Amino acid sequence: MKQLRILLHFEWLNFKKEKSLVAFCLLMLLSGMYGIFSGDYEIKKQRNKIAGLDEIYQSNIKEMAEKFPDSADAGDIGYYHAAFAKNHPDNWAALAIGQRDVSPAYLKIRLLAVQNQLYNSENTNPLKLATGSFDLSFVMVFLLPLFIIAISFNLLSAEKEQGTLRLLLAQPLKLATLFMAKVIFRFLIISTVVLLLFAIALLWTGATPDLRALYWILVVLLYATFWLGTSCAIAALQRSSAFNAISLLGVWLLLAVIAPVLINAATDISKPVQEGLQLTMVQREAVHGGWDKPKAETMDGFFKHYPEYTNTGSVEGAFKWKWYYAFQELGDRSVETLYKAYRQKMLDRLSLASNLSVVSPPAKLQEVLNGIAGTDLQQHLDFIAGTKAYHEELKAFYYPYLYQDRAFQHVDFAKEPQYSFTAAPDYTKAASGIVVLLAANVLVSLLAIFMFKTNTKELK
Amino acid sequence: MIRNITQKERISSIRDKRFIILGSIILILLLTSAATGIINYRVLAAERKLAQSTATENFNNQPDRHPHRVAHYGSYAFRPKSVLSFLDFGLDSYTGTMVYLEAHQQNSANFSQVQQSGAMIRFGEMTIAFVMQWLIPLLIIFLCFNTFTLEHEEGTLKVLLSQGVSMKAIAKAKLLGYIHVISMIIFPAFFFVFLFVLSMNNFLLDGDLLLRTAVFMLTYLLYFFIFITGSILISAVNKHSRTALVTLLGIWIFSIVLMPKALSNLGSSFYEEPSKAAMDASVHEESKNGIDGHDPLDKRLAQFKQGLLEKYQVDSLSQLPVNVDGLIMALGEESSSQIYQEHFDELVAIYEDQNRLSVWAGFINPYLAIRNISMSMAGTDFFHYVDFLNAAEKYRYALTQHLNNLQATKVAHKDKTTRLSADIYATYPPFYYKGPAFTKALANVAVSIVALAFWTALIYGLIILTMNKKKNLI
């Protein structure tokens, strides 16, 4: 034990002397801090956009009062007025922007058929999206392994190349102990950097340190030990520093870049999505076809779903909104199966990618971090489903005016349902990710021990 | 002597297991990415072509309708995949594929690939451009990092110099040697790429396509040259292979992984774009109240109607020889479309401001330069995307005004029920889109091309200069 303490102490002295190591730590810390700032900034931007909606909403209500003085036909309101379904980011979203930058943070919803309102996009800069977010998750997924590799690729080879290894081993000291001391020292440095960045992130973004924090720390540290283990396995081969650097970068490239890229290609090729395009086109035909169908047919179809309005007044003759909204409703219903198929296809793509990503700890980590932050496609699909349900609420609010022939009073806007969504963290994904990373750790430790055992003999 | 050195580098590289293994991996990855790129192209191109023809068919076979009903029924613009997009997906996966074109409003382009994918897509995409931009530079680094340091460590450099060969000559010979070696991977790869391009176009020779492919390949050659020369230079100025390698890998990570992301995020924090809802609200507000708020649409319409009555010397609108409803609709569409276009151009200008940092940084980082050129030649960059959006809006506007014109001339005032025969609509030409010409695409990336040329000259100048200085040092 005392030996270990002495070794750690000397590693520390060594570390302080080695300018490049200190520089790597600083670089990692700086990148992490920029990641925290940049992620937080992106979320602030989204919050600003969401905050700006209130003014648009209020000015629309004012315009309605001007356009329809006294009271209004709810049909006109349903057509000219829009409400907003808002997807509020949790503070945690700043730590992993995930798919939040490609999915809109709000949806503008009118009483009209909802299916072509669910997939509208926000103004986005495609070059920025394609280059990706520089958030803390990027720093952890991509840069943390590089940092670990940078401080441990010459774990033993440096001492060997400087000729100090022989001197050290001439002392009553086992190579395994020396090796362990070096690994433990590096683990301490890495966890200090990770925890420090995490603490800064919590303070800067105001993310609540609840169960998510525990998951975050656990999964990132497991990821770090995986890469430390990989470095050990390569170092145990007792080859040159250059060999170690090339091999480790090769492993990084394979796991953090090539594997996820191939997983994505496999997902795209085996499960292409056409359902979205089909859905909108079929829905348009159904909705606009409403104009050309006999009115009675449309109303009968509508009353099947809303028997309570069966004895509403006649729609024959001049244009009546209640007929218009009836065929909007039927248009939505005609694509219900396509909607489900589209949603299912995206879920299938997600689960296929998730299953394939067990081969790549970086991909797994990204998935877990997005899950914790509530920023993956899964959460956006939840928001879409929530918005669809919100549209049902709006219908429940407006239909009585329409089908019971009641005038809409402008004060009634105060009673209009509102919808705010905040994604819940995906603990199941986090837990399964932890299992995968644990397995990867076991695998790589066994490999490291095996390499160490088979290669130390040569040294002696 | 020089020829001997060149030959030595070539032979020792080919005999090196590293080269054989890495080179084969790169070739396999190139072929894999060509295959995935082509499959991706075929799936998406077919999907969009089918969707576009379905949309046209639906439009042409619609029942007899009132022209304004048709204006609301509208049409679709699907963005066709550019033939060369299989080389470099560029921004294609991040841009919407479908725009719904209807009267009164401009809709967003929806259903981008990235909106229908999980976290994995953000790691990048398997394309030829990815292999050439990310992996071939790494291969070059692995091959060249110890070209001088090893000679230094093994003492062979002194032997060479004692033969009376200058450092400059050795460096030039090595450069030539490695160019030969890398060519053994690049040229077969380019040959296949060229075949693929031809086959994608059914072996029809198309000038635009060939020029794009040529610039694509030529600029990549410069990019590789920069990495080869740079690696040899770093190897020459370092004493140990270890430090040379770590330096080169550091440069690679910094310029390919770190810097592009940092710059693009920085750019978007400097310039903030408005939300789509805010933009639509401003367009609505300005078309209703006039741009300065003092010229409300109602007033303009009243003036317009009064003007018509005076012009035709009639007492009521129903006596006019044309249907005023259609004219009013056309007037409203004209003003709101103009206002929308101004806002859209502003938005594009904001994006360009955001991206400017990454474009000019091509002078610091050749990766950023080649990334731009590559996307542009493949027809998948921002410029090509905006061109499509503008074409879609132009078509939307023309179609809407055509229908307003039909309403003005073929339907009576206040008549909302008369249906015109579907044949009238079927004669309207469907949306057809052809991307910008090669010259426009090239002009758009002029800065990046200059940056790449600058780098080529700079790195060559640097190695010659350094070697001249190093003449007798060792």
Side-chain angles (χ1 to χ4, degrees):
Chain A
M1 200 60 216
K2 197 180 164 204
Q3 213 176 29
L4 193 69
R5 240 190 3 244
I6 295 171
L7 284 170
L8 286 178
H9 179 66
F10 275 95
E11 280 293 317
W12 172 242
L13 291 179
N14 221 341
F15 174 81
K16 279 199 296 190
K17 268 286 223 15
E18 188 82 57
K19 271 187 211 128
S20 64
L21 289 182
V22 180
F24 284 137
C25 281
L26 280 178
L27 214 71
M28 181 65 192
L29 280 172
L30 277 178
S31 307
M33 287 198 284
Y34 179 66
I36 293 164
F37 162 79
S38 167
D40 188 58
Y41 196 86
E42 171 69 26
I43 291 302
K44 282 220 173 79
K45 250 170 124 172
Q46 293 195 4
R47 288 210 171 105
N48 272 342
K49 285 183 180 171
I50 295 176
L53 299 174
D54 281 337
E55 200 192 315
I56 298 169
Y57 179 76
Q58 291 304 336
S59 91
N60 172 273
I61 286 179
K62 227 167 80 192
E63 192 186 324
M64 291 303 105
E66 286 160 14
K67 197 171 176 130
F68 310 105
D70 306 327
S71 63
D73 186 326
D76 282 317
I77 298 298
Y79 192 85
Y80 293 106
H81 165 73
F84 291 99
K86 300 167 185 168
N87 183 357
H88 283 290
D90 186 274
N91 288 342
W92 273 84
L95 274 66
I97 300 294
Q99 295 292 83
R100 266 206 82 102
D101 55 347
V102 294
S103 336
Y106 63 88
L107 287 168
K108 185 176 171 179
I109 297 296
R110 294 198 284 168
L111 191 60
L112 312 181
V114 75
Q115 282 294 349
N116 60 350
Q117 304 184 62
L118 294 176
Y119 309 106
N120 284 331
S121 319
E122 176 54 337
N123 286 342
T124 47
N125 178 352
L127 184 66
K128 154 98 198 312
L129 297 183
T131 321
S133 304
F134 198 122
D135 55 8
L136 190 60
S137 77
F138 162 73
V139 175
M140 291 303 151
V141 171
F142 280 90
L143 304 186
L144 182 65
L146 291 173
F147 169 64
I148 295 171
I149 291 171
I151 63 169
S152 47
F153 76 99
N154 54 3
L155 205 65
L156 281 181
S157 52
E159 301 256 15
K160 207 169 151 189
E161 280 154 23
Q162 288 159 5
T164 44
L165 190 61
R166 277 175 188 285
L167 283 177
L168 269 172
L169 290 182
Q171 313 290 320
L173 173 69
K174 277 192 203 145
L175 181 63
T177 318
L178 178 69
F179 199 76
M180 271 327 278
K182 283 177 177 293
V183 173
I184 291 172
F185 178 75
R186 276 160 182 80
F187 179 71
L188 290 177
I189 297 269
I190 295 160
S191 12
T192 310
V193 169
V194 167
L195 293 177
L196 191 62
L197 282 175
F198 185 55
I200 296 172
L202 290 187
L203 288 175
W204 185 265
T205 62
T208 331
D210 49 14
L211 188 58
R212 285 174 282 191
L214 212 65
Y215 270 103
W216 195 97
I217 293 174
L218 192 61
V219 75
V220 174
L221 288 185
L222 273 176
Y223 184 66
T225 52
F226 166 78
W227 282 104
L228 197 55
T230 311
S231 304
C232 290
I234 302 280
L237 288 175
Q238 312 260 5
R239 304 280 294 268
S240 71
S241 296
F243 173 84
N244 291 353
I246 291 186
S247 313
L248 284 168
L249 193 80
V251 175
W252 176 84
L253 197 67
L254 192 71
L255 295 183
V257 183
I258 295 177
V261 164
L262 285 174
I263 293 170
N264 181 51
T267 314
D268 268 352
I269 288 172
S270 65
K271 291 192 186 302
V273 246
Q274 294 129 337
E275 286 83 350
L277 303 187
Q278 283 170 10
L279 171 77
T280 22
M281 291 173 77
V282 171
Q283 192 242 18
R284 176 183 72 150
E285 290 307 314
V287 169
H288 286 266
W291 288 94
D292 310 311
K293 276 197 195 128
K295 288 184 178 173
E297 191 187 318
T298 300
M299 293 318 286
D300 286 345
F302 179 78
F303 295 145
K304 259 187 214 141
H305 303 292
Y306 292 92
E308 63 268 39
Y309 299 132
T310 312
N311 41 19
T312 188
S314 163
V315 298
E316 294 304 328
F319 174 81
K320 294 241 169 49
W321 280 117
K322 52 176 120 176
W323 165 65
Y324 180 83
Y325 286 101
F327 69 68
Q328 297 282 326
E329 169 88 40
L330 293 181
D332 271 346
R333 287 186 184 264
S334 73
V335 290
E336 190 61 28
T337 37
L338 263 175
Y339 163 76
K340 284 195 179 124
Y342 182 40
R343 185 182 152 82
Q344 193 53 47
K345 177 58 88 56
M346 288 199 274
L347 291 174
D348 287 350
R349 280 163 67 90
L350 272 180
S351 76
L352 174 67
S354 178
N355 289 338
L356 291 176
S357 72
V358 295
V359 300
S360 156
K364 240 333 161 241
L365 178 69
Q366 185 71 66
E367 198 184 86
V368 172
L369 294 182
N370 289 357
I372 291 176
T375 55
D376 208 356
L377 173 63
Q378 173 78 53
Q379 282 78 24
H380 188 68
L381 292 178
D382 293 346
F383 171 61
I384 289 182
T387 304
K388 193 165 167 275
Y390 170 55
H391 186 257
E392 292 294 330
E393 277 182 58
L394 286 175
K395 288 195 287 191
F397 177 70
Y398 283 107
Y399 278 4
Y401 293 103
L402 277 168
Y403 296 101
Q404 291 168 0
D405 301 295
R406 272 160 47 194
F408 183 85
Q409 307 299 327
H410 290 289
V411 287
D412 294 347
F413 271 124
K415 287 184 278 179
E416 187 182 46
Q418 303 292 328
Y419 180 55
S420 273
F421 171 86
T422 300
D426 191 341
Y427 288 122
T428 359
K429 210 155 246 177
S432 71
I434 285 174
V435 172
V436 171
L437 283 172
L438 263 175
N441 266 288
V442 171
L443 214 68
V444 86
S445 317
L446 287 177
L447 193 70
I449 291 169
F450 175 74
M451 300 270 193
F452 192 76
K453 288 245 161 97
T454 47
N455 287 286
T456 37
K457 284 173 199 136
E458 285 170 34
L459 192 86
K460 284 168 186 168
Chain B
M1 190 69 199
I2 303 233
R3 207 178 300 154
N4 286 342
I5 297 173
T6 305
Q7 199 168 3
K8 177 244 151 197
E9 294 300 344
R10 195 170 55 211
I11 292 173
S12 63
S13 288
I14 297 168
R15 285 191 187 148
D16 190 348
K17 256 193 299 180
R18 273 184 318 181
F19 173 71
I20 304 293
I21 295 172
L22 291 175
S24 333
I25 292 177
I26 297 269
L27 264 180
I28 291 170
L29 282 175
L30 269 174
L31 288 176
T32 319
S33 51
T36 55
I38 290 172
I39 294 174
N40 182 290
Y41 168 83
R42 290 207 193 282
V43 169
L44 293 181
E47 182 184 307
R48 293 181 201 176
K49 214 170 170 181
L50 177 72
Q52 189 73 64
S53 68
T54 311
T56 309
E57 210 173 288
N58 287 344
F59 188 87
N60 291 347
N61 294 318
Q62 57 185 315
D64 298 350
R65 279 177 174 150
H66 186 279
H68 195 61
R69 283 270 51 75
V70 179
H72 275 278
Y73 174 73
S75 185
Y76 289 100
F78 294 91
R79 185 167 181 218
K81 288 289 279 183
S82 75
V83 176
L84 293 182
S85 66
F86 84 98
L87 293 175
D88 186 345
F89 292 180
L91 310 181
D92 261 14
S93 302
Y94 293 84
T95 52
T97 56
M98 182 204 85
V99 189
Y100 178 38
L101 312 170
E102 57 178 326
H104 311 311
Q105 64 174 353
Q106 287 81 357
N107 295 308
S108 55
N110 296 341
F111 299 109
S112 69
Q113 208 52 18
V114 69
Q115 285 175 322
Q116 311 179 102
S117 303
M120 226 54 67
I121 194 172
R122 308 310 285 274
F123 283 80
E125 287 171 300
M126 195 72 201
T127 59
I128 288 175
F130 162 74
V131 177
M132 302 217 286
Q133 286 169 14
W134 284 57
L135 305 184
I136 291 184
L138 262 188
L139 172 75
I140 292 172
I141 290 175
F142 288 167
L143 279 181
C144 306
F145 76 94
N146 60 4
T147 184
F148 270 107
T149 49
L150 198 66
E151 304 235 26
H152 202 83
E153 284 158 358
E154 289 176 352
T156 45
L157 195 60
K158 274 185 193 150
V159 180
L160 265 177
L161 289 172
S162 66
Q163 310 274 318
V165 196
S166 69
M167 275 294 274
K168 191 166 89 179
I170 299 176
K172 272 189 179 169
K174 280 181 183 292
L175 185 58
L176 211 60
Y178 284 109
I179 289 176
H180 279 205
V181 173
I182 297 295
S183 305
M184 281 189 282
I185 297 174
I186 305 300
F187 283 108
F190 276 6
F191 175 71
F192 281 115
V193 165
F194 186 66
L195 278 188
F196 289 140
V197 170
L198 284 182
S199 76
M200 295 297 260
N201 205 33
N202 300 321
F203 291 95
L204 296 171
L205 291 182
D206 176 281
D208 205 79
L209 217 57
L210 291 179
L211 283 169
R212 279 169 183 265
T213 314
V215 172
F216 183 85
M217 290 177 177
L218 283 175
T219 46
Y220 271 107
L221 289 183
L222 292 187
Y223 181 63
F224 301 145
F225 176 81
I226 293 166
F227 269 94
I228 296 174
T229 319
S231 302
I232 295 176
L233 182 64
I234 298 287
S235 183
V237 296
N238 276 289
K239 276 197 181 139
H240 302 289
S241 300
R242 180 167 44 123
T243 42
L245 179 69
V246 172
T247 312
L248 284 167
L249 293 183
I251 292 173
W252 182 87
I253 291 166
F254 181 76
S255 39
I256 294 179
V257 182
L258 212 62
M259 190 175 162
K261 245 185 219 259
L263 285 183
S264 123
N265 280 265
L266 213 59
S268 83
S269 2
F270 286 145
Y271 304 94
E272 201 159 329
E273 74 279 350
S275 70
K276 171 95 169 109
M279 196 170 120
D280 288 347
S282 315
V283 172
H284 175 73
E285 183 64 23
E286 285 168 24
S287 5
K288 191 162 67 97
N289 296 332
I291 291 172
D292 50 2
H294 296 297
D295 186 20
L297 186 65
D298 292 346
K299 202 173 105 193
R300 271 178 293 159
L301 288 181
Q303 278 169 357
F304 177 68
K305 287 179 196 165
Q306 192 54 42
L308 278 177
L309 292 179
E310 282 165 17
K311 186 177 165 195
Y312 289 97
Q313 304 204 321
V314 288
D315 309 321
S316 77
L317 293 171
S318 51
Q319 291 170 317
L320 287 171
V322 283
N323 176 3
V324 73
D325 300 342
L327 298 183
I328 287 172
M329 215 73 87
L331 194 74
E333 193 68 52
E334 188 189 339
S335 111
S336 70
S337 296
Q338 244 172 36
I339 292 166
Y340 172 81
Q341 196 59 45
E342 279 163 26
H343 281 268
F344 180 75
D345 292 343
E346 262 170 49
L347 181 68
V348 169
I350 293 175
Y351 290 153
E352 275 166 359
D353 286 338
Q354 291 179 350
N355 299 340
R356 187 156 299 123
L357 206 56
S358 303
V359 172
W360 285 95
F363 284 98
I364 305 173
N365 178 357
Y367 165 78
L368 287 169
I370 192 73
R371 187 181 69 162
N372 265 349
I373 301 169
S374 174
M375 284 195 290
S376 171
M377 290 305 116
T380 55
D381 67 348
F382 183 64
F383 169 71
H384 285 75
Y385 176 58
V386 171
D387 186 78
F388 164 75
L389 290 181
N390 280 325
E393 166 57 15
K394 207 172 146 193
Y395 181 83
R396 184 200 72 80
Y397 181 71
L399 173 66
T400 308
Q401 293 302 48
H402 170 74
L403 294 167
N404 286 334
N405 186 37
L406 283 180
Q407 189 175 359
T409 52
K410 299 219 162 25
V411 181
H413 180 46
K414 286 201 169 158
D415 177 354
K416 286 188 173 174
T417 50
T418 298
R419 291 161 182 255
L420 299 182
S421 156
D423 303 339
I424 294 182
Y425 305 122
T427 55
Y428 196 77
F431 177 72
Y432 170 76
Y433 175 70
K434 195 172 185 311
F438 162 74
T439 42
K440 279 192 181 160
L442 190 71
N444 195 254
V445 287
V447 175
S448 302
I449 289 181
V450 172
L452 206 61
F454 161 78
W455 260 102
T456 311
L458 179 78
I459 202 92
Y460 190 71
L462 267 180
I463 201 166
I464 297 294
L465 222 76
T466 321
M467 291 308 159
N468 273 340
K469 259 195 213 156
K470 274 200 155 224
K471 219 176 275 175
N472 303 312
L473 273 183
I474 302 170

